Amino acid sequence: MSPIMITKSFGTAAPAPTPQEVDTILTQIFTAKTSQESLDAAYALTNILINSVGFRGLRAYRILDQCRKAAADKKDGARRESAMNLLGALFEKLTPVQCIAEVVFLIQDGGIMAPVLDALSDKGAVVREAAQYALEALFANLSPEAMVVGLIPALSQYLGKRSGKWQGTVGAYSLLEKIAEKAKMGMGSKEEERTKDLLRESMGKHLAALIPIVEAGMHDLKSEVAKQALKTMTALTTLLTNDDVAPRIPLLIKTMEKPSTETLQKAIHALSQTTFVAIVTSPVLALLTPLLERSLNTPTTSQEVLRQTVVVVENLTKLVHDPIEARTFLPKLRPGVQGVKDRASLPEVRELATRALAVIKKAMKDDDGNIDAGQIVPTTAEDVMKVLEKEVKLHGGIVGEPGDIELWALTKTYISELVKEDVNLREVSRISLCSEPYMRQLLRPSEAAVVAQALEKHFVDEDHRKFGQPIKADTGEVEIVNTDFSLAYGGMLLLSHTNITLHKGHRYGLCGRNGAGKSTLMRSISEGKLEGFPSKEQLRTCFVEHNQGEDADLSILEFVSKDPELAASGKDRISEVLGEVGFTAGPNGRQAEKVGSLSGGWKMKLALARAMLMRADVLLLDEPTNHLDVGNVKWLEEYLKSHTEITSLIVSHDSGFLDNVCTDIYHYEQKKLVCYPGNLAAFVRVKPEAKSYYTLSASQVQFKFPNPGILTGVKSPTRAIMRMANCTVTYPGASKPSLRDVTCALTLSSRTAIIGANGAGKSTLIKVLTGEIIPQEGKVEKHPNLRIGYIKQHALEHVEMHMEKTPNQYLQWRYANGDDREVLMKQTRKLTPEDKAQMEKFVELPGLGQRRIECLMGRQKYKKTFQYEVKWIGMLPKHNTQISRETLLELGFSKLIQEFDDHEASREGLGFRQLEPKIISKHFEDIGLDPEIANHNEISGLSGGQKVKVVLAGAMWNNPHLLVLDEPTNYLDRDSLGGLAVAIRDYRGGVVMISHNEEFVGALCPEQWHVADGRVTHKGHLAVAMDRFEDSRPGSSAASSAVSSATASAVNSEAEGGDMKFKSKKKKMKLTRAQMKERETRRRLRHIEWLNSPKGTPHPPDTDEEA
């Protein structure tokens, strides 16, 4: 075929080079002595083409044919390298200037990708490097739409042939991985992140075709191909933005990598345990459909796995809101579900399959494929092509060279596909960008822009017709903040190019999962670090948080007056504001009390008073209801609603508070802030997946607490295992006792809530029970082997000395010696000077003389109590003595006994625990903390909720019998709160908690201790609010277990007496032969005596008890 005769391209100045001139340069390229000479000649030829005939020269001078020929020359490595250099120069220089060259390189005559990928397997390193350069040059110059429409199909075609070298296959998979990596969110400019969003969504819609291709590579016999395909699959799954499926992705990938009955069952089981709440889109269906289809259609699948599979299909399908997406994937599942319905052996499985079929039919809307009235139909490439051809014809048609007609047929299809992606993703402003550059060389230059604008206008109008015109909100309200920003913490991107707009007087609830960055956002605003947010001089902003670092020795009035920001207000004004929030004035009022004596609730009220004194325009409230009782929460609600001049941004896990206060909700969605008008109830109506804000068990977070183990001598769950008797506690310097004559007890079945106003003494009661405080009067008894898991009111105190450690290292430190080090730090465990003096004293026991105790070596059961093996100072172990517990207590060695009992209890609890990083990681995962975070992130970098999970994991490591929680709801988000509630409900040990969260307490605690004025009043057998648990319907196992737990907790009604002695069951002795003969004689004599008795005498019981 002779070259096509051409003149020059539109808009170029230079004449077209002759074939001889082009051949001369090609010869220079292919015969160059060095790589650089070859590359320079390639750049020279590319520049000549750009300035003259442009893309037309590629075919006219057979440049690409020459490249293919040189790339296939097995005898000359220099020619193969030069071919790659020339293609790389063309990709790098020509493609950005004349976008239509993409069609030539990727589509016309099968494209040029195959020779370049094949060159990656060349024996010569320089050839492989040149091929890699060519691929990178092409990749760098493609738009997101062109990658999806042009590059991915070319790579898929290459991988589909399976006839190339394995290195080329690895290269193609690597390019797919690179495209997926490019779509990941980052901290680039707003425009860069916008193109990433476009690429991510567009590529996500093509996952259905990509996943089978990549999965085939995961099973390749060449290990290098399999490894790269695995990396590519991992990268592709990052395109999914579904938080429900995200935690299961590693398991799903493993199932694809190693397909077997066992891995498939594990994957199906994991999916059946997932609570699906987010809308299911095509990327999720693309990933899950092949696995579900395999499970449904495999003849050997067990009935239990089939049951789980149809449940997953039903749950997934309910959340497919787009019937067109449903019709793409669900027909693949419907025959399998129908087969289960027809052939499953268990009636329950058949019934579930029937339900799943009904849901599938509903999701697909219409069996005939008809579209509902009002249903938005995606735009197709044919729709775009009709408009494009019409506009091109109106504006003069194609006016290029004769060969351009053939190329236009390919180009208009390519443009239609590009525009289709933009239209369906509602990026209509990019239509001109995706059409005009491709028509510039085929139409008159002025006409190409007009056609592109007409095309864009048509689809902008179409978008407005389908979705309505964007309404510019103009409510007349005062806008005080309107800014775009990104937010990162450490190496973690929290928000990417999102907007926050605040109006005067509005109260915004900030909702999102734990670790989403809510507190980080508020702290960034308060510290003036948020990009674009007005400074404190322009907008007075006050961050109200629960500050635990106050100067404890100052009075409240002095402490507030000392603040340089508030000193200007004057003491009178400060005293007045403090009085408004409940701090009474005067020498005997609360203002004169020390800051250190305040309970958590009063500390929060103090922080609110300081914000009022600053006359803030914007209040940033981080968990304002933490530690506040019901009355104070009501007061805070009224305060915020009455001050209409103040704008509030609120983070809270109290759903009732958000419902009553908020005018708008900001929700974290895919690293963006989305604003929903109305309170929390209105938000949940719009976003049903946020229902976990109302229902505890709708949570997607699952906690799993370990079983507490056996307590020696405790056979009944209602037996008292800990008791306070007539205890009175008075803090140093206080005028009246915090607790007065308190008596109470706890059992293994206890679900007890301690209720009371702020400062009533709830935390003091807990501290006495756990040994943090020693009462001045009365006594505290507990089972010697009792293990207690305790979380303080200020939960972060547990880890504040370990901020430089990772959670895994903290747990290793805490239990390194087999004992819980936090137990050893309690007041009741520390040796006072009196205790140390006692250890120095000689003791005299009958028959032993005077001796000094060195330590306790062991413990064994003795009658109804214990006896301890005592090691004496200066004596060999053979002289150790067994002494009863009561004797040691009388001698004053209670601390020594307590220390040994703690060690034994801890040893029992840790008997089946190995303190290894891998096992610790699994424990953290059970408590809801990502193992990656537990192993690698320092505690100082964790959010408040994540730190509480670390503390919770620490408390549960030694399998405690009694869990003591002081304000557990303070730092947990709604999902974690629901997970904790379900874990407590199913826990087999006792639980006692302080919480002002009525929803949490009402769902879990049938028994309540009301604390007021130092007195404790018991209220037991209250009905638990089982409707708070979505899975606790009448008759369910969860409901019945909770009810039985509520019924069993009867210790404070003295159901089982007050004996704290724990005795083991008496063993029945086996009778000797002589004893058995004697028993038989006694029985015979009783029977003869009955025969001689008057008629009607009842037969005596045949028992030997009187013997």
Side-chain angles (χ1 to χ4, degrees), residues 258-277:
K258 298 176 180 176
S260 67
T261 304
E262 185 183 354
T263 56
L264 182 63
Q265 285 180 358
K266 283 183 180 178
I268 296 296
H269 178 70
L271 289 171
S272 70
Q273 298 297 309
T274 302
T275 305
F276 290 100
V277 290

Side-chain angles (χ1 to χ4, degrees), residues 5-6 15-25 45 48 52-53 61:
M5 296 304 297
I6 52 176
T18 64
Q20 291 77 17
E21 289 171 342
V22 174
D23 286 342
T24 303
I25 300 174
L45 178 59
I48 289 171
S52 57
V53 296
Y61 301 117

Side-chain angles (χ1 to χ4, degrees), residues 564-581:
E565 289 188 56
L566 308 177
S569 301
K571 277 203 172 186
D572 291 341
R573 171 63 182 156
I574 291 172
S575 179
E576 181 188 339
V577 172
L578 286 171
E580 286 181 30
V581 296

Side-chain angles (χ1 to χ4, degrees), residues 867-883:
Q867 62 181 12
Y868 296 82
E869 182 184 349
V870 177
K871 170 81 169 64
W872 305 105
I873 290 178
M875 299 184 76
L876 293 174
K878 67 180 181 179
H879 299 294
N880 289 359
T881 309
Q882 297 286 350
I883 301 177

Side-chain angles (χ1 to χ4, degrees), residues 706 787-792 798 810-811 814-815 820 822 913 923-924 927 948-965 987:
R787 294 186 297 276
I788 301 174
Y790 175 41
I791 296 181
K792 300 178 183 177
H798 291 272
Y810 164 70
L811 206 62
R814 183 165 167 177
Y815 291 96
D820 185 352
E822 292 211 354
R913 290 280 200 185
H923 178 65
F924 275 114
I927 303 297
V948 170
K949 289 178 185 176
V950 173
V951 174
L952 196 57
M956 299 304 294
W957 174 255
N958 68 346
N959 306 326
H961 301 102
L962 185 65
L963 187 57
V964 182
L965 305 168
Y987 180 51

Side-chain angles (χ1 to χ4, degrees), residues 647-724:
T647 301
S648 306
L649 194 59
I650 306 164
V651 172
S652 178
H653 302 130
D654 186 335
S655 54
F657 177 73
L658 291 178
D659 233 0
N660 293 334
V661 168
C662 291
T663 59
D664 306 87
I665 298 290
Y666 266 116
H667 192 234
Y668 280 71
E669 294 178 17
Q670 299 172 22
K671 308 215 184 297
K672 305 285 185 191
L673 283 179
V674 183
C675 187
Y676 295 88
N679 64 358
L680 188 64
F683 163 62
V684 171
R685 281 196 294 274
V686 178
K687 295 284 286 185
E689 56 264 43
K691 65 182 175 183
S692 64
Y693 281 99
Y694 276 111
T695 311
L696 288 171
S697 64
S699 162
Q700 299 165 61
V701 175
Q702 292 182 342
F703 288 5
K704 192 163 68 176
F705 287 171
N707 287 333
I710 298 169
L711 258 181
T712 309
V714 178
K715 305 301 181 187
S716 167
T718 61
R719 181 70 181 274
I721 55 173
M722 174 179 274
R723 173 175 288 115
M724 284 172 63

Side-chain angles (χ1 to χ4, degrees), residues 852-869:
R852 279 173 58 204
I853 293 178
E854 182 178 332
C855 62
L856 301 182
M857 300 293 292
R859 186 185 73 183
Q860 67 183 31
K861 192 79 178 159
Y862 176 67
K863 295 184 178 178
K864 295 182 180 180
T865 178
F866 289 103
Q867 62 181 12
Y868 296 82
E869 182 184 349

Side-chain angles (χ1 to χ4, degrees), residues 108-143:
Q108 194 174 31
D109 299 332
I112 197 70
M113 287 298 293
V116 183
L117 289 166
D118 285 339
L120 292 172
S121 62
D122 201 282
K123 293 179 181 178
V126 289
V127 180
R128 296 198 299 272
E129 288 173 11
Q132 192 62 43
Y133 151 67
L135 290 172
E136 288 175 1
L138 179 64
F139 181 84
N141 289 296
L142 292 178
S143 66

